[in-house]
Amino acid sequence: MLKDDCVFCKIIRGEIPSAKVYEDDEMLVFKDIEPKAKVHLLAVPKDHFKLLADMDDARAALVGSMLKKIPAIAKQNGCENGYRLVINQGDDAGQTVFHLHIHILGGQVLPW
Ligand code: 5GP
Ligand code: ZN
Protein backbone atom coordinates (compact mmCIF):
# COMPACT_ATOMS: atom_id res chain seq x y z
CA MET A 1 0.00 0.00 0.00
CA LEU A 2 1.28 3.46 -0.90
CA LYS A 3 0.85 6.44 1.41
CA ASP A 4 -0.47 9.85 0.33
CA ASP A 5 2.00 11.98 2.27
CA CYS A 6 5.19 9.99 1.58
CA VAL A 7 7.73 11.46 -0.86
CA PHE A 8 8.85 8.04 -2.15
CA CYS A 9 5.24 6.89 -2.61
CA LYS A 10 4.71 10.09 -4.64
CA ILE A 11 7.77 9.23 -6.76
CA ILE A 12 6.46 5.67 -7.27
CA ARG A 13 3.07 7.08 -8.35
CA GLY A 14 4.82 9.54 -10.69
CA GLU A 15 3.52 12.60 -8.81
CA ILE A 16 7.09 13.76 -8.18
CA PRO A 17 9.56 13.40 -11.07
CA SER A 18 12.67 11.27 -10.59
CA ALA A 19 15.56 10.01 -12.68
CA LYS A 20 14.56 6.34 -12.84
CA VAL A 21 17.18 3.77 -13.73
CA TYR A 22 15.16 0.57 -13.10
CA GLU A 23 11.55 -0.35 -12.44
CA ASP A 24 9.55 -3.54 -12.12
CA ASP A 25 6.38 -4.57 -10.32
CA GLU A 26 7.97 -4.62 -6.87
CA MET A 27 10.71 -1.99 -6.86
CA LEU A 28 11.87 1.32 -8.28
CA VAL A 29 15.47 2.53 -8.48
CA PHE A 30 16.20 6.20 -9.09
CA LYS A 31 19.01 8.73 -8.63
CA ASP A 32 19.28 10.44 -5.26
CA ILE A 33 18.50 14.16 -5.58
CA GLU A 34 21.50 15.06 -3.37
CA PRO A 35 24.15 12.52 -4.37
CA LYS A 36 26.74 11.66 -1.70
CA ALA A 37 28.94 9.78 -4.22
CA LYS A 38 29.51 9.82 -8.00
CA VAL A 39 26.82 7.16 -8.25
CA HIS A 40 24.07 7.43 -5.66
CA LEU A 41 20.90 5.47 -6.33
CA LEU A 42 17.93 4.70 -4.10
CA ALA A 43 16.15 1.35 -4.37
CA VAL A 44 12.65 1.51 -2.91
CA PRO A 45 10.00 -1.21 -2.60
CA LYS A 46 6.58 -0.45 -4.10
CA ASP A 47 5.09 -1.14 -0.68
CA HIS A 48 5.18 1.55 1.95
CA PHE A 49 6.79 0.47 5.19
CA LYS A 50 9.09 2.41 7.41
CA LEU A 51 11.71 0.15 8.91
CA LEU A 52 13.25 -3.30 8.68
CA ALA A 53 11.50 -3.86 12.02
CA ASP A 54 8.16 -3.53 10.20
CA MET A 55 8.85 -6.47 7.88
CA ASP A 56 6.62 -9.52 7.84
CA ASP A 57 7.58 -12.61 5.81
CA ALA A 58 6.24 -11.16 2.55
CA ARG A 59 8.20 -7.93 2.99
CA ALA A 60 11.32 -9.88 3.95
CA ALA A 61 10.97 -11.82 0.69
CA LEU A 62 10.48 -8.54 -1.18
CA VAL A 63 13.65 -7.03 0.30
CA GLY A 64 15.53 -10.26 -0.45
CA SER A 65 14.37 -10.07 -4.05
CA MET A 66 15.47 -6.42 -4.26
CA LEU A 67 18.93 -7.34 -2.94
CA LYS A 68 19.21 -10.10 -5.54
CA LYS A 69 18.58 -7.60 -8.38
CA ILE A 70 20.84 -4.84 -7.08
CA PRO A 71 24.22 -6.23 -8.27
CA ALA A 72 23.18 -6.09 -11.95
CA ILE A 73 21.54 -2.66 -11.54
CA ALA A 74 24.63 -1.30 -9.78
CA LYS A 75 26.94 -2.68 -12.46
CA GLN A 76 24.80 -1.18 -15.25
CA ASN A 77 24.94 2.23 -13.58
CA GLY A 78 28.65 2.80 -13.12
CA CYS A 79 29.49 0.61 -10.13
CA GLU A 80 31.58 -1.99 -11.99
CA ASN A 81 34.30 -1.83 -9.38
CA GLY A 82 32.20 -2.22 -6.25
CA TYR A 83 29.62 -0.27 -4.31
CA ARG A 84 28.18 0.17 -0.84
CA LEU A 85 24.63 -0.42 0.33
CA VAL A 86 23.27 1.65 3.22
CA ILE A 87 19.88 1.29 4.92
CA ASN A 88 19.42 4.05 7.49
CA GLN A 89 17.12 3.06 10.34
CA GLY A 90 15.69 5.77 12.54
CA ASP A 91 16.74 9.10 13.90
CA ASP A 92 20.26 8.30 15.13
CA ALA A 93 21.12 7.08 11.62
CA GLY A 94 19.78 10.31 10.14
CA GLN A 95 16.88 8.67 8.33
CA THR A 96 14.85 11.45 6.72
CA VAL A 97 12.40 9.53 4.52
CA PHE A 98 10.39 6.94 6.41
CA HIS A 99 9.76 4.59 3.48
CA LEU A 100 12.32 1.80 3.53
CA HIS A 101 15.06 2.41 0.97
CA ILE A 102 18.46 1.04 0.10
CA HIS A 103 21.16 3.55 -0.82
CA ILE A 104 23.52 2.29 -3.56
CA LEU A 105 26.76 4.28 -3.44
CA GLY A 106 29.72 3.89 -5.80
CA GLY A 107 31.35 5.03 -9.02
CA GLN A 108 34.45 6.00 -7.02
CA VAL A 109 36.60 4.79 -4.15
CA LEU A 110 34.41 5.53 -1.16
CA PRO A 111 36.02 7.49 1.67
CA TRP A 112 34.99 5.22 4.56
P1 5GP B 1 17.69 8.74 4.33
O1 5GP B 1 18.46 9.85 4.96
O2 5GP B 1 16.24 8.73 4.79
O3 5GP B 1 18.35 7.40 4.47
O4 5GP B 1 17.73 9.03 2.77
C1 5GP B 1 16.77 9.77 2.08
C2 5GP B 1 17.40 10.15 0.77
O5 5GP B 1 16.36 10.56 -0.10
C3 5GP B 1 18.38 11.32 0.87
O6 5GP B 1 19.66 10.90 0.40
C4 5GP B 1 17.76 12.40 -0.01
O7 5GP B 1 18.71 13.13 -0.74
C5 5GP B 1 16.82 11.60 -0.91
N1 5GP B 1 15.64 12.33 -1.34
C6 5GP B 1 14.77 13.03 -0.55
N2 5GP B 1 13.79 13.56 -1.29
C7 5GP B 1 14.02 13.17 -2.57
C8 5GP B 1 13.35 13.42 -3.81
O8 5GP B 1 12.31 14.08 -3.89
N3 5GP B 1 13.89 12.87 -4.94
C9 5GP B 1 15.02 12.11 -4.89
N4 5GP B 1 15.48 11.62 -6.06
N5 5GP B 1 15.69 11.86 -3.75
C10 5GP B 1 15.21 12.39 -2.60
ZN1 ZN C 1 6.05 5.59 1.03
Side-chain angles (χ1 to χ4, degrees):
M1 279 286 281
L2 297 177
K3 232 174 143 237
D4 286 349
D5 58 350
C6 166
V7 62
F8 289 171
C9 285
K10 287 182 181 174
I11 287 173
I12 290 164
R13 282 196 298 260
E15 293 167 15
I16 295 177
S18 68
K20 295 178 192 177
V21 303
Y22 177 86
E23 181 166 20
D24 64 23
D25 56 344
E26 65 181 11
M27 76 185 285
L28 178 65
V29 185
F30 53 94
K31 294 183 183 177
D32 195 293
I33 205 166
E34 285 180 41
K36 313 315 186 269
K38 277 190 183 153
V39 177
H40 187 173
L41 305 175
L42 298 170
V44 304
K46 289 185 172 178
D47 176 22
H48 178 96
F49 60 101
K50 198 167 150 183
L51 296 165
L52 292 170
D54 299 326
M55 288 196 301
D56 55 15
D57 286 349
R59 286 173 173 164
L62 167 59
V63 172
S65 173
M66 289 174 64
L67 288 172
K68 189 162 182 277
K69 291 176 230 178
I70 281 175
I73 296 166
K75 197 173 171 188
Q76 282 156 18
N77 285 279
C79 298
E80 300 84 0
N81 212 29
Y83 55 92
R84 179 174 295 145
L85 302 183
V86 173
I87 309 179
N88 290 321
Q89 296 292 280
D91 293 335
D92 280 5
Q95 186 176 2
T96 56
V97 178
F98 288 91
H99 177 135
L100 189 98
H101 52 281
I102 303 169
H103 295 261
I104 304 168
L105 298 150
Q108 62 175 89
V109 175
L110 297 166
W112 47 268

